[in-house]
Amino acid sequence: MSRYTVLITNGMTTDEEGTIGYDPPLRTFFLQAFPDPETDECALWLGAFLEEYPTLESIIEAARAQGYEVRGLTKEMIMAMLKEAGPLHPPSLGERLGIVR
């Protein structure tokens, strides 16, 4: 699983430690930012479900739709995530057993 630190803004506040990446078992891109200091629950948490965001563009657009902007993605980060997302990943054991849908 890839994980990269990016800057996430929502107009008034900024999280300089936002995380973006690709999760091969879930076959989705994910984005996390603005963790609560007491609970560690993130105000922005996208990409927690199977095939939720299959493209980098789809997760960036979903974040924008919620008022967030992702900054600091480098060409190297983008290429590494796209490379990781590129190969087909076989269904997990949970999917094959019908536990995960």
Side-chain angles (χ1 to χ4, degrees):
M1 175 179 358
S2 60
R3 297 181 75 85
Y4 299 95
T5 301
V6 290
L7 182 121
I8 310 288
T9 64
N10 69 353
M12 300 297 286
T13 58
T14 299
D15 184 347
E16 295 180 4
E17 298 294 321
T19 303
I20 192 167
Y22 185 77
D23 186 338
L26 289 179
R27 296 186 299 277
T28 188
F29 285 89
F30 63 90
L31 183 61
Q32 299 169 332
F34 301 100
D36 183 286
E38 293 180 19
T39 66
D40 224 20
E41 186 174 325
C42 292
L44 174 65
W45 191 332
L46 302 174
F49 301 103
L50 185 65
E51 298 177 345
E52 188 174 9
Y53 298 101
T55 65
L56 187 54
E57 293 85 3
S58 65
I59 199 159
I60 298 295
E61 288 302 318
R64 282 189 181 138
Q66 293 185 28
Y68 296 96
E69 287 293 329
V70 178
R71 303 277 188 243
L73 279 173
T74 65
K75 179 181 176 183
E76 290 77 19
M77 289 176 186
I78 293 169
M79 295 306 293
M81 285 187 286
L82 294 178
K83 182 178 178 182
E84 187 174 14
L88 294 178
H89 299 279
S92 67
L93 177 60
E95 289 175 272
R96 292 192 304 264
L97 293 175
I99 299 168
V100 177
R101 297 174 196 242

